[in-house]
Amino acid sequence: MADGGSGNMVGEARARPEGRAQPAERAAAVSPFPWLARARDLSGDGGVRKEELHPGCGQAVPPGASVAVKYSGYLEHCDEPFCTNCYSKSPRLMKLGKDITLLGLEIGLLTMKKGEAARFVFMPDYAYGRQGCPPLIPPNATVMFEVEVLDFLDSEESDAFFELTTEQQDTFPLQKVLKVADTEREFGNYLFRKQHFESAKDRYKRAFSILSRSPSSEEERCQIDASKLLVLLNLSLSYLKLERPARALAYGEKALEIDQRNAKALFRCGQACLCMTEYEKARDFLVRAQHIQPFNHDINNELKKLASGYRDYMEKEKEMCCRMFACLNSSSG
């Protein structure tokens, strides 16, 4: 995953302590990192040490989370990183224990919050071990990582859910299913913000796929419909971004089956029809949306766009008719 062309050095074979690590005092004495003496000992044996560079906010990264981080890894006495993804504009979400398996980095990330930047030193037993990772990492290498947490999602329960069979999923309590669907929708929202619309659409579809269970009460039906509505609106918007208006319209109309007065659903349907030059249908959806939210800037702008597009369309139709009549007249003469 390293965008610096150095290979995926955060996802190598999982390292485990292979014996007694160096004491913290000795590590600080021999390390070329001058800040190490004031760094916090996370592992209790000096094997993972941390210095916070910029505080974050909120809760710490939970176990099993999927995290978006910027990182650079350095060997001792080296100014250039052996791995980095800092050249990437939007690092992808990586799952702890699956995409990120460097033991020291896992331990370090579990102490970090969103927006936090920190640097760590990992002794060999918490990094690449006695063997190293040739040709980049020599044996028994101590490494330093600079890390910034951009975002994270607590995806452990969601990931575990989708590893179950359909029969096992059906036995899950509704509240847990709704939580999983919400997590998948949040994944989609993250990808959508990064303009990864295809991947976002797939996450929304995954969320929708588990919301098809039959409710056992009116209260459950309302809860499922509320969750479905959010996913359907996001699916409609994703298909608009993917320039597939027919699919956008289909999901928008599904949303209207749940809430026929939902202004966002009406607006999405109007946008989709306008993209397909179905002006009468577009006007119907947009006018209905405007009645519900008369001062909505986006809806009113779309109606202006509709009027302009329809006027251009009629002028082209008129011009085409004139040409056809001219051709008929010339041929009859």
Side-chain angles (χ1 to χ4, degrees):
M1 198 207 75
D3 295 306
S6 303
N8 182 2
M9 303 307 296
V10 299
E12 296 299 327
R14 188 178 181 86
R16 292 290 182 187
E18 299 169 344
R20 189 174 182 82
Q22 289 178 294
E25 295 80 7
R26 183 181 170 197
V30 300
S31 174
F33 309 116
W35 52 270
L36 191 59
R38 64 178 181 272
R40 175 184 164 199
D41 183 359
L42 299 183
S43 57
D45 58 6
V48 180
R49 299 182 69 82
K50 171 187 178 182
E51 181 184 39
E52 184 182 287
L53 302 176
H54 184 275
C57 60
Q59 70 174 104
V61 175
S66 295
V67 295
V69 298
K70 284 201 171 185
Y71 67 84
S72 294
Y74 298 84
L75 295 171
E76 294 178 293
H77 309 291
C78 290
D79 294 330
E80 293 296 320
F82 63 82
C83 72
T84 183
N85 73 341
C86 288
Y87 302 109
S88 173
K89 291 182 179 179
S90 55
R92 68 183 179 91
L93 287 165
M94 300 184 295
K95 185 169 175 60
L96 292 175
K98 182 179 179 181
D99 303 307
I100 297 176
T101 55
L102 201 65
L103 182 57
L105 189 55
E106 283 192 78
I107 292 171
L109 282 169
L110 292 175
T111 70
M112 298 185 73
K113 300 176 181 180
K114 183 177 177 178
E116 180 179 343
R119 55 187 174 187
F120 302 89
V121 166
F122 307 141
M123 301 303 286
D125 287 344
Y126 292 87
Y128 301 97
R130 296 173 184 172
Q131 302 301 317
C133 189
L136 289 172
I137 313 296
N140 291 310
T142 295
V143 298
M144 190 267 283
F145 268 76
E146 293 180 346
V147 181
E148 180 184 2
V149 174
L150 304 176
D151 206 348
F152 68 85
L153 289 172
D154 187 356
S155 61
E156 185 172 27
E157 191 170 15
S158 176
D159 292 332
F161 178 85
F162 283 103
E163 289 176 2
L164 301 175
T165 64
T166 304
E167 291 75 18
Q168 290 172 322
Q169 290 178 4
D170 289 340
T171 65
F172 254 55
L174 177 62
Q175 294 309 313
K176 286 194 173 183
V177 172
L178 294 175
K179 183 180 177 183
V180 169
D182 191 53
T183 299
E184 289 301 304
R185 186 172 59 82
E186 287 180 12
F187 253 106
N189 291 347
Y190 174 84
L191 293 164
F192 188 94
R193 289 194 298 269
K194 300 298 180 183
Q195 299 188 0
H196 300 159
F197 302 124
E198 188 71 36
S199 298
K201 176 261 296 179
D202 291 340
R203 284 288 183 174
Y204 296 141
K205 278 193 168 183
R206 198 153 88 136
F208 189 69
S209 71
I210 65 170
L211 294 171
S212 58
R213 65 165 57 189
S214 300
S216 59
S217 66
E218 181 63 19
E219 182 184 359
E220 283 196 359
R221 186 191 67 79
C222 290
Q223 289 178 313
I224 292 171
D225 281 351
S227 187
K228 274 185 178 180
L229 183 60
L230 294 174
V231 175
L232 288 168
L233 290 171
N234 289 350
L235 274 167
S236 184
L237 181 57
S238 296
Y239 276 111
L240 283 171
K241 292 293 186 181
L242 290 167
E243 298 181 354
R244 295 168 65 183
R247 298 298 297 162
L249 176 61
Y251 282 109
E253 289 179 327
K254 283 182 181 290
L256 289 173
E257 290 174 10
I258 297 172
D259 179 5
Q260 62 182 354
R261 286 182 54 81
N262 187 280
K264 279 189 177 179
L266 291 165
F267 178 59
R268 300 273 185 269
C269 291
Q271 286 181 298
C273 290
L274 182 55
C275 288
M276 295 185 289
T277 65
E278 295 184 9
Y279 295 110
E280 293 297 330
K281 287 181 68 175
R283 185 181 183 281
D284 177 60
F285 282 122
L286 292 172
V287 167
R288 286 164 62 192
Q290 189 185 50
H291 284 163
I292 297 165
Q293 294 185 1
F295 303 109
N296 185 295
H297 182 74
D298 292 331
I299 294 171
N300 291 330
N301 275 351
E302 203 70 12
L303 279 165
K304 291 177 184 176
K305 190 190 298 184
L306 168 65
S308 175
Y310 186 68
R311 186 169 55 250
D312 291 344
Y313 171 78
M314 291 305 295
E315 287 177 358
K316 287 178 182 178
E317 286 288 297
K318 184 179 178 181
E319 183 180 343
M320 186 180 298
C321 288
C322 289
R323 288 179 180 175
M324 287 176 62
F325 282 120
C327 288
L328 287 171
N329 290 332
S330 62
S331 62
S332 62

